[in-house]
Amino acid sequence: MSKPKKNSKKQRHQHELESQVSKSSAMPKLNIYLGVFVFLFGFGLYANTIYHDYAYDDVSVILDNRLTQMGLEGIPDLFTKAYWYGFRGDNYGTYRPLSLITFALEYEFIGNDPHVSHFINVLLYGCTALVLFVVLLRLFNGSIPIAKNQKYVLPLLITLIYIAHPVHTEVVANIKSRDEIMCLLFFLLAMLFILDYLFNKTIQQSNGKSAVYLFLALIFYYLSVISKETAITFIAIIPLTFYFFTKLSTKKILLVSSYFLGIAVIYLMMRLSFLDSFAEGENLAPIDNTIAASMNYSQRFATPVYILMLYLKILFVPHPLIYDYSYKMIDIVEWTNWKAILSFLIHLGLVIWAFKGFRNKDKIAYGIWIYFIPLSLVSNIVILIGSTMAERFLFIPSLGFSFALVFLLIKFFKIEEESGFSISDIIKKNKSLLTVVGLILVFYCFKTVTRNEVWKDNFTLYSADIENTTKSARANLFYGQELLEMGKVEPDPNKKKELFDDTKKYISKAGIIDPTYSDVWLNLGIAYVESGDNKTAIQNYQKVISIDPKYDKAYYNMGNAYFNLKEWTKAEEVYRKAFEINPQYVKAYYNLGNVYLKLNRNNEAIQYYDKALTLDPYYVDIYNNKGNALTNMDEYGKAVEVYKKAITINPNGPMLYNNMGNALNHMKKYDEAIASFKKAIQINPNYESAINNIGVAYFYKKNYKEAINFFSRVLQVNPKDRGAVMNIGFCYQQLGNKKKAKEFFDRAKTI
């Protein structure tokens, strides 16, 4: 009798993987139903953000980013420059081009539409929920011995708690933070395909699927890492996950992980090649990172350890949530401070648990690892980054928290091990656990949906959070800036004054919190300019320069204040200083040209207008004023060509048509002039100057009756326009009606 053959090592390995990774083609109906549910759950939680406007960093990353605003044309530079290059010209620090490229594509095909951008964020978040659930199903199917129904309950609970957590509102409701969503989504897709690769490779399918799965896994990991550099930490999470959820050998785990390490190395080489520096800046200011204000090593390391406890607090009790944790929202502490000591002890305990649970593959320990690993990159313990603390930094670490929380709960609430795959069976047999989780989810969902509303726009965000950010210099400044913008457009003089007074109040408070924060004094100066107090504004700009002598905007704004005071020589001096510091400062060249235009030095004005236009050939106002300078020089034909160029850029600018009509009038091309003026009033029916100029053109054509008609229309817009009254008198004088002419001349004397 022959002995039964022993399974070969390869066959045993095949059996292990078959029991650990489910086949994608054999997904039961319940998986599909639950998958659809978690997608709709994630999408529905943030559906109320779709009609929001741009807010917070959206403006600098999208609207004020010259590269994203170039659409397809800007993509090569977006791919080869630092994250903030298109906004402030810095080619160092972070390199995460993918989200910026998506914004450029949106601009190219849709334009600046915040609703579409928000929809994409919400859609990506729903997809993240779905893929997370599927990955967890794969990992739990055949891992440590658990009942079959737990293989659905655990992935579902972890996914729901993670997706519902309110700390994610900053990421999903803020368009700019799409980089966080894409980073996690693409990593999860990479995990999904690497699991498929392991399964197909083990069962030795001859159709080449395994190679395709590996290729897709590496592509998705590459997309993850160019979404945000947090993906670098996944190099540690990948082997950790294989260790905790499979029986793969250490050699196999390291081999598979090395593929991803290769992608990470490629990313780092690209970053090194494209950027001028890895660092976010040699000297971080306290306003960027409070820890930079540390006076000694004790403060330098005690403070970030204390901040780790604040992160845990937000995860367990996500209230209140705020958008800003900058200087001085968080106290700098010494190691003698009880908060630092308590945080150290808590985290020491977590580290011990993580290491002790490593050997027996404890899933709470796994959650702790998944929490700590990505958080380490932004913890400020190893290196200082450009932020003290931020809720968005918990987007990926909170997955580890959700994992650990669910396994802590099942330690207290035993899951029934009877098989059963219907939703009703799962609910019936796990009432206690699901009741507690349900209460958590109700709170999380309520907090998420209500917090979403706060992210509607800048004013809603800043005004809602100002009560909880009174210690923050930046929050007070931002709220003051919003009040300033509201004051600029407020038609009621009393309300305008009230808004400007509140502006000064909040911005001044920011200056008290951080007197070295140069943007405070810059914006306070702007507030005084808007209030009509240019001399006080200049004093504030001088304070900016005393803090930062190279701050080009301070010189530019000071030039504007001198311009308002008609101190042309001083305005000329500081505008020159602005573009000496920043040779790309278009507005400084433009406004220096305006100084010369005021002084009737038209040739010099044109010189600086041309310089500005070489830097920004689409700046309509520059063409307009260049045309005015040419008109002053009697170069009417050249002026008309310049106005036409401006109109091709902005065909809806009534002033352009009016000014072009004036030049045509001087050329005695009255019919063309009238057509241009009429285009102006077609755009703005109450454009007084254009209506008057049509009357002037008809006067020169000796069509006095039609001229009277248009001068009369001027008086309908502005009954106190003395010039229009005089012009009607001149028309009647030309018509030989001396009585009517005298009537209007006498009327003009009373105005």
Side-chain angles (χ1 to χ4, degrees):
M1 184 175 179
S2 60
K3 294 182 179 181
K5 292 182 180 179
K6 292 184 179 180
N7 288 338
S8 68
K9 183 177 180 181
K10 185 177 291 185
Q11 287 173 322
R12 291 197 304 272
H13 188 59
Q14 170 186 334
H15 177 72
E16 289 168 1
L17 262 292
E18 286 179 341
S19 67
Q20 294 160 19
V21 185
S22 64
K23 298 182 181 180
S24 59
S25 60
M27 180 178 288
K29 284 186 178 181
L30 181 59
N31 291 21
I32 298 173
Y33 294 149
L34 292 176
V36 171
F37 170 72
V38 296
F39 169 80
L40 293 176
F41 181 72
F43 187 93
L45 270 176
Y46 288 90
N48 63 334
T49 67
I50 291 173
Y51 291 101
H52 286 186
D53 204 342
Y54 295 109
Y56 199 32
D57 285 337
D58 293 345
V59 175
S60 52
V61 171
I62 302 171
L63 297 182
D64 290 347
N65 187 316
R66 65 180 181 84
L67 296 181
T68 58
Q69 294 298 297
M70 291 169 64
L72 291 174
E73 188 180 345
I75 289 178
D77 280 337
L78 288 172
F79 192 75
T80 57
K81 300 293 184 183
Y83 185 76
W84 292 106
Y85 182 81
F87 174 62
R88 61 192 182 205
D90 299 333
N91 195 32
Y92 58 78
T94 52
Y95 173 69
R96 46 181 91 147
L98 192 57
S99 63
L100 296 177
I101 290 172
T102 67
F103 300 142
L105 290 171
E106 286 176 43
Y107 178 79
E108 179 71 26
F109 297 108
I110 302 168
N112 291 320
D113 188 334
H115 309 316
V116 172
S117 298
H118 280 296
F119 175 80
I120 292 172
N121 269 29
V122 177
L123 182 64
L124 289 171
Y125 193 64
C127 292
T128 301
L130 172 60
V131 179
L132 172 61
F133 177 64
V134 174
V135 169
L136 291 176
L137 279 177
R138 300 288 180 87
L139 292 176
F140 279 108
N141 186 50
S143 64
I144 57 172
I146 56 177
K148 290 183 179 180
N149 59 340
Q150 292 185 32
K151 301 177 193 302
Y152 297 93
V153 174
L154 295 178
L156 181 63
L157 296 187
I158 293 168
T159 300
L160 292 181
I161 287 177
Y162 174 75
I163 292 299
H165 204 295
V167 80
H168 300 164
T169 49
E170 180 180 357
V171 169
V172 188
N174 188 208
I175 301 168
K176 170 263 175 189
S177 290
R178 185 180 297 172
D179 51 3
E180 298 275 5
I181 305 174
M182 294 170 66
C183 179
L184 179 59
L185 174 59
F186 289 132
F187 168 67
L188 291 171
L189 286 167
M191 287 298 296
L192 193 61
F193 282 107
I194 199 64
L195 291 173
D196 281 340
Y197 161 74
L198 290 170
F199 171 76
N200 281 283
K201 192 173 191 303
T202 305
I203 64 174
Q204 295 180 317
Q205 289 189 3
S206 59
N207 55 12
K209 278 188 176 180
S210 60
V212 173
Y213 289 142
L214 176 60
F215 175 77
L216 289 173
L218 297 179
I219 288 295
F220 279 120
Y221 179 65
Y222 174 73
L223 293 176
S224 176
V225 81
I226 64 171
S227 293
K228 192 169 185 182
E229 59 278 357
T230 308
I232 290 292
T233 64
F234 298 158
I235 293 301
I237 291 175
I238 291 167
L240 199 69
T241 301
F242 290 149
Y243 170 76
F244 271 87
F245 287 94
T246 76
K247 295 179 182 179
L248 289 172
S249 66
T250 302
K251 181 180 178 181
K252 184 69 174 178
I253 290 173
L254 293 177
L255 176 63
V256 174
S257 300
S258 69
Y259 302 150
F260 295 94
L261 179 61
I263 298 296
V265 170
I266 291 171
Y267 164 79
L268 292 173
M269 291 175 64
M270 289 171 57
R271 182 169 171 168
L272 182 64
S273 173
F274 294 149
L275 273 55
D276 297 335
S277 169
F278 264 37
E280 293 206 32
E282 297 300 322
N283 299 303
L284 279 172
I287 192 61
D288 297 314
N289 190 325
T290 302
I291 302 168
S294 300
M295 302 298 292
N296 52 54
Y297 283 109
S298 173
Q299 293 178 352
R300 164 65 183 85
F301 293 102
T303 303
V305 169
Y306 161 56
I307 291 171
L308 289 178
M309 187 168 67
L310 298 181
Y311 279 128
L312 281 179
K313 180 265 174 190
I314 291 173
L315 287 172
F316 280 103
V317 186
H319 180 82
L321 296 176
I322 56 176
Y323 75 93
D324 181 68
Y325 291 87
S326 63
Y327 193 79
K328 291 183 172 178
M329 276 300 295
I330 297 172
D331 296 329
I332 294 177
V333 298
E334 300 272 2
W335 278 117
T336 53
N337 188 289
W338 70 269
K339 296 176 184 178
I341 295 171
L342 178 60
S343 181
F344 176 78
L345 293 175
I346 290 172
H347 287 87
L348 178 62
L350 290 174
V351 169
I352 291 172
W353 191 330
F355 276 100
K356 287 186 69 176
F358 183 83
R359 177 171 292 184
N360 62 356
K361 300 186 178 183
D362 174 57
K363 296 304 184 288
I364 295 176
Y366 175 77
I368 294 171
W369 283 111
I370 300 305
Y371 171 72
F372 272 133
I373 290 171
L375 190 62
S376 65
L377 201 63
V378 292
S379 66
N380 284 300
I381 292 176
V382 180
I383 57 169
L384 288 183
I385 63 171
S387 297
T388 312
M389 175 181 175
E391 290 165 13
R392 65 184 179 275
F393 293 162
L394 287 174
F395 184 70
I396 294 173
S398 60
L399 179 56
F401 167 81
S402 302
F403 215 103
L405 179 61
V406 167
F407 275 91
L408 277 172
L409 289 173
I410 66 173
K411 275 183 174 290
F412 293 97
F413 302 99
K414 182 178 175 61
I415 298 179
E416 292 290 337
E417 297 191 358
E418 296 177 25
S419 62
F421 296 100
S422 71
I423 294 175
S424 60
D425 284 343
I426 291 174
I427 294 173
K428 187 184 299 182
K429 298 180 186 303
N430 301 284
K431 284 183 180 178
S432 299
L433 173 63
L434 296 181
T435 299
V436 173
V437 172
L439 291 173
I440 293 172
L441 289 176
V442 168
F443 168 65
Y444 279 6
C445 292
F446 175 78
K447 181 64 179 178
T448 295
V449 172
T450 53
R451 180 63 182 171
N452 285 345
E453 291 300 324
V454 172
W455 282 89
K456 181 180 179 181
D457 53 38
N458 274 348
F459 180 75
T460 307
L461 178 63
Y462 300 157
S463 60
D465 280 11
I466 193 63
E467 291 182 5
N468 295 315
T469 53
T470 54
K471 293 168 60 178
S472 166
R474 182 168 281 161
N476 279 281
L477 171 61
F478 285 0
Y479 184 47
Q481 286 176 314
E482 284 304 304
L483 294 171
L484 176 61
E485 293 305 312
M486 292 174 66
K488 289 178 181 179
V489 298
E490 174 56 54
D492 186 305
N494 293 326
K495 290 182 180 179
K496 181 184 283 284
K497 182 181 182 304
E498 184 180 339
L499 285 166
F500 285 147
D501 288 344
D502 285 342
T503 294
K504 295 168 192 172
K505 169 188 168 184
Y506 283 100
I507 296 180
S508 296
K509 185 177 180 181
I512 293 170
I513 295 169
D514 184 2
T516 66
Y517 191 6
S518 56
D519 280 347
V520 166
W521 311 113
L522 182 77
N523 283 279
L524 195 56
I526 295 171
Y528 276 109
V529 167
E530 293 294 332
S531 301
D533 188 351
N534 289 283
K535 290 184 178 179
T536 304
I538 290 168
Q539 293 172 7
N540 281 281
Y541 296 140
Q542 288 171 337
K543 190 176 291 189
V544 177
I545 292 167
S546 68
I547 297 168
D548 183 359
K550 297 293 185 181
Y551 201 162
D552 52 353
K553 287 184 180 178
Y555 292 101
Y556 170 76
N557 284 337
M558 189 187 297
N560 294 345
Y562 281 127
F563 190 99
N564 294 338
L565 293 169
K566 299 182 180 180
E567 296 187 26
W568 310 118
T569 302
K570 290 182 178 178
E572 177 186 6
E573 178 185 341
V574 289
Y575 283 139
R576 287 186 180 278
K577 185 67 177 177
F579 60 67
E580 283 174 11
I581 296 170
N582 178 8
Q584 307 297 312
Y585 208 150
V586 175
K587 289 185 177 180
Y589 292 112
Y590 169 52
N591 279 7
L592 181 56
N594 291 340
V595 168
Y596 292 134
L597 186 66
K598 287 287 185 181
L599 295 172
N600 206 32
R601 292 159 59 178
N602 295 293
N603 277 319
E604 291 169 271
I606 291 170
Q607 174 188 343
Y608 285 95
Y609 292 146
D610 285 341
K611 176 64 177 175
L613 288 171
T614 60
L615 298 171
D616 186 354
Y618 300 101
Y619 200 147
V620 172
D621 290 348
I622 302 176
Y623 288 106
N624 182 65
N625 284 9
K626 180 181 177 181
N628 295 345
L630 289 166
T631 299
N632 293 344
M633 298 168 64
D634 299 334
E635 296 279 359
Y636 304 120
K638 291 182 180 179
V640 168
E641 292 306 312
V642 171
Y643 292 131
K644 284 181 178 179
K645 174 66 176 176
I647 289 168
T648 61
I649 300 169
N650 178 19
N652 297 312
M655 184 183 292
L656 298 173
Y657 292 103
N658 185 53
N659 289 345
M660 185 167 70
N662 281 331
L664 291 165
N665 255 352
H666 284 294
M667 298 170 71
K668 299 182 180 181
K669 295 182 177 182
Y670 302 121
D671 290 334
E672 292 180 49
I674 290 169
S676 189
F677 294 135
K678 284 186 175 180
K679 183 65 178 176
I681 63 173
Q682 181 183 336
I683 298 168
N684 180 5
N686 294 321
Y687 194 175
E688 187 179 339
S689 177
I691 299 169
N692 183 78
N693 287 337
I694 295 175
V696 171
Y698 279 119
F699 184 90
Y700 287 139
K701 288 187 69 178
K702 300 183 180 181
N703 188 342
Y704 303 116
K705 289 184 179 180
E706 196 63 23
I708 291 171
N709 177 39
F710 279 94
F711 291 138
S712 298
R713 283 181 60 180
V714 172
L715 296 176
Q716 291 174 11
V717 177
N718 179 11
K720 294 185 178 181
D721 191 319
R722 185 174 180 275
V725 175
M726 289 289 292
N727 286 341
I728 293 173
F730 289 131
C731 287
Y732 280 118
Q733 191 177 60
Q734 292 297 319
L735 290 169
N737 191 338
K738 294 181 180 180
K739 182 179 179 181
K740 272 286 188 181
K742 184 177 185 304
E743 176 188 331
F744 279 91
F745 290 147
D746 290 343
R747 178 179 166 184
K749 292 176 183 178
T750 64
I751 298 175

